[in-house]
Amino acid sequence: TDFRLWIRKAIEDIELELSKLQSILLKKAEKNIEIIFPGYTHLQVAQPIRFSHHLLAYLEMFGRDLERFKQTKERLNECPLGAAALAGTSFPIDRFYTAKTLGFRAPMRNSMDAVSDRDFVLEFISDSAIAMVHFSRLAEELILWGSIEFDFISLPDSLVTGSSIMPQKKNPDAAELIRAKTGRVNGALLSLLTVMKGLPLAYAKDMQEDKESVFDVFDTLILVIKITQELIENMKVKQANMYKAASNGFSTATDLADWFVRDLGIPFREAHVLTGKIVEVASKKNIELNELTMNDLKKVEPKISQDVFKVLSPENSVESRNSFGGTASREIKRQIKFWKRRLNA
């Protein structure tokens, strides 16, 4: 009973901090709504997006984490008190009264299940492990973005360190430790799953192993959330570098292929081939697609008109992605509006 009460309170603390983090991400996204950013697949520049769109993706991920914890709290909120060793008791107790007094929804229906159930512990650690994976992915991106090679952001001095012998370095230690501690939480989940998988009903001393890992998981996750709040809130965005990267790597090639389909009526499989040939021309000339001349383009496809240049800029590319959930400004604003209502921000 005490353990369920403890985890219930731990979840409430996590919910509070996750909500704070969501609000920080929302504010950062709204502040940087016009910043063009390179979207990646396979860690290669794929298409231009908005930086705010990228941040809002993590807002969605942490929103799912929050829902998982809420659902776990709802399921664990049944009271085992009065189940005794495993068979209940002959004393005239009122389990409904004690459950209500302790804030539980109801007493657990089966005394053996009440004694031997550790699903609520496994769910708590599982929720934490999934959340930690999200934090690790974000930490990895912050590490990449802050490197000289990307140079998209500058992390707060309070959460980086200098090198032992190289005075020019700012090492993203806090983000690296977030990434590493994910393995610690994942290990706790596997540990308890292994403890529980061979136990007959009802109680066995093996179950005391559930406490140490849960306490450590909570301490780890709550610290990671708070550190991530500071990382996001205080990182400085380098807009010019983001835009330059979004303009590189022929990131509007898909827009060119779409233009062939939409404006010239060419089947996409053919448009894909034509676009590849044009990219090859630009690559040999060491220029971007929007720097090609009309003569260059017409050598590949004579029907190309001047209108094609309207789709080759990163700005026009992001604005054209106006489907629900896309990266056009109206869609970003719609997402922000949704989350403001959801978070009462």
Side-chain angles (χ1 to χ4, degrees):
T1 302
D2 283 344
F3 203 21
R4 284 176 182 263
L5 289 169
W6 189 92
I7 290 183
R8 191 173 70 186
K9 176 60 167 63
I11 289 175
E12 289 168 356
D13 291 346
I14 289 168
E15 288 173 342
L16 177 63
E17 295 303 328
L18 274 176
S19 295
K20 286 182 184 177
L21 175 59
Q22 287 184 298
S23 295
I24 290 168
L25 279 165
L26 183 61
K27 288 177 184 176
K28 187 69 77 170
E30 188 171 26
K31 182 180 179 182
N32 295 289
I33 195 169
E34 296 303 326
I35 294 181
I36 306 296
F37 186 77
Y40 293 87
T41 62
H42 308 277
L43 202 56
Q44 298 181 66
V45 175
Q47 291 178 267
I49 60 171
R50 293 182 187 276
F51 184 54
S52 51
H53 196 54
H54 200 118
L55 294 177
L56 289 169
Y58 281 103
L59 190 59
E60 295 283 347
M61 293 157 75
F62 294 132
R64 291 193 295 273
D65 291 328
L66 200 54
E67 288 301 312
R68 271 186 284 270
F69 279 112
K70 287 179 179 178
Q71 291 161 8
T72 294
K73 185 173 69 173
E74 178 65 19
R75 274 190 293 275
L76 73 77
N77 204 31
E78 292 183 340
C79 185
L81 191 64
L86 78 162
T89 179
S90 60
F91 289 95
I93 63 173
D94 185 346
R95 292 191 63 215
F96 288 90
Y97 173 78
T98 53
K100 182 179 179 182
T101 301
L102 292 171
F104 287 101
R105 185 176 68 250
M108 295 185 73
R109 288 180 295 276
N110 184 287
S111 60
M112 290 190 73
D113 182 48
V115 170
S116 59
D117 171 52
R118 291 299 182 275
D119 288 359
F120 69 101
V121 187
L122 288 167
E123 281 195 61
F124 174 76
I125 302 178
S126 176
D127 297 344
S128 300
I130 294 171
M132 283 297 295
V133 168
H134 294 156
F135 281 104
S136 183
R137 295 181 73 179
L138 177 54
E140 171 65 7
E141 297 213 274
L142 294 176
I143 291 165
L144 289 172
W145 295 347
S147 68
I148 294 297
E149 289 77 12
F150 284 77
D151 200 22
F152 293 161
I153 62 169
S154 177
L155 293 174
D157 288 344
S158 60
L159 294 173
V160 298
T161 63
S163 167
S164 56
I165 63 170
M166 293 167 279
Q168 83 281 8
K169 294 187 70 181
K170 281 177 65 175
N171 296 325
D173 285 9
E176 289 174 352
L177 287 170
I178 289 172
R179 192 173 56 183
K181 286 181 181 294
T182 303
R184 183 172 182 152
V185 176
N186 290 353
L189 177 58
L190 182 59
S191 174
L192 188 57
L193 283 168
T194 305
V195 167
M196 296 301 299
K197 60 93 181 170
L199 296 185
L201 299 181
Y203 181 78
K205 198 64 174 175
D206 310 50
M207 290 186 189
Q208 77 171 23
E209 288 298 311
D210 61 1
K211 309 297 185 300
E212 185 178 8
S213 57
V214 166
F215 298 152
D216 185 65
V217 163
F218 171 73
D219 289 343
T220 299
L221 179 58
I222 206 76
L223 178 61
V224 163
I225 300 173
K226 290 179 178 180
I227 293 298
T228 304
Q229 291 169 0
E230 188 172 341
L231 282 167
I232 297 299
E233 191 166 29
N234 296 302
M235 72 176 179
K236 291 182 172 57
V237 176
K238 300 183 180 181
Q239 181 175 355
N241 292 353
M242 288 180 175
Y243 182 83
K244 182 179 178 182
S247 305
N248 292 337
F250 314 112
S251 62
T252 57
T254 304
D255 299 273
L256 176 57
D258 289 348
W259 184 85
F260 279 132
V261 175
R262 190 174 52 249
D263 287 46
L264 300 185
I266 297 174
F268 187 82
R269 62 183 178 276
E270 295 177 24
H272 191 284
V273 173
L274 288 172
T275 302
K277 290 178 179 178
I278 291 172
V279 167
E280 187 177 0
V281 172
S283 180
K284 286 179 179 178
K285 291 193 168 191
N286 197 29
I287 58 176
E288 293 302 318
L289 294 178
N290 59 355
E291 296 175 311
L292 289 167
T293 66
M294 183 57 65
N295 187 50
D296 292 327
L297 295 170
K298 281 186 173 292
K299 284 180 180 178
V300 178
E301 174 48 64
K303 291 187 287 186
I304 289 179
S305 69
Q306 196 71 30
D307 287 345
V308 73
F309 289 102
K310 294 178 181 178
V311 304
L312 294 182
S313 72
E315 292 88 349
N316 287 338
S317 175
V318 296
E319 276 307 294
S320 71
R321 308 295 168 188
N322 55 16
S323 57
F324 183 86
T327 194
S329 59
R330 77 175 192 191
E331 283 303 302
I332 301 297
K333 290 173 182 176
R334 183 195 57 75
Q335 292 180 52
I336 289 172
K337 186 177 179 181
F338 167 84
W339 279 109
K340 279 187 172 181
R341 288 198 306 267
R342 186 82 171 263
L343 299 173
N344 296 316

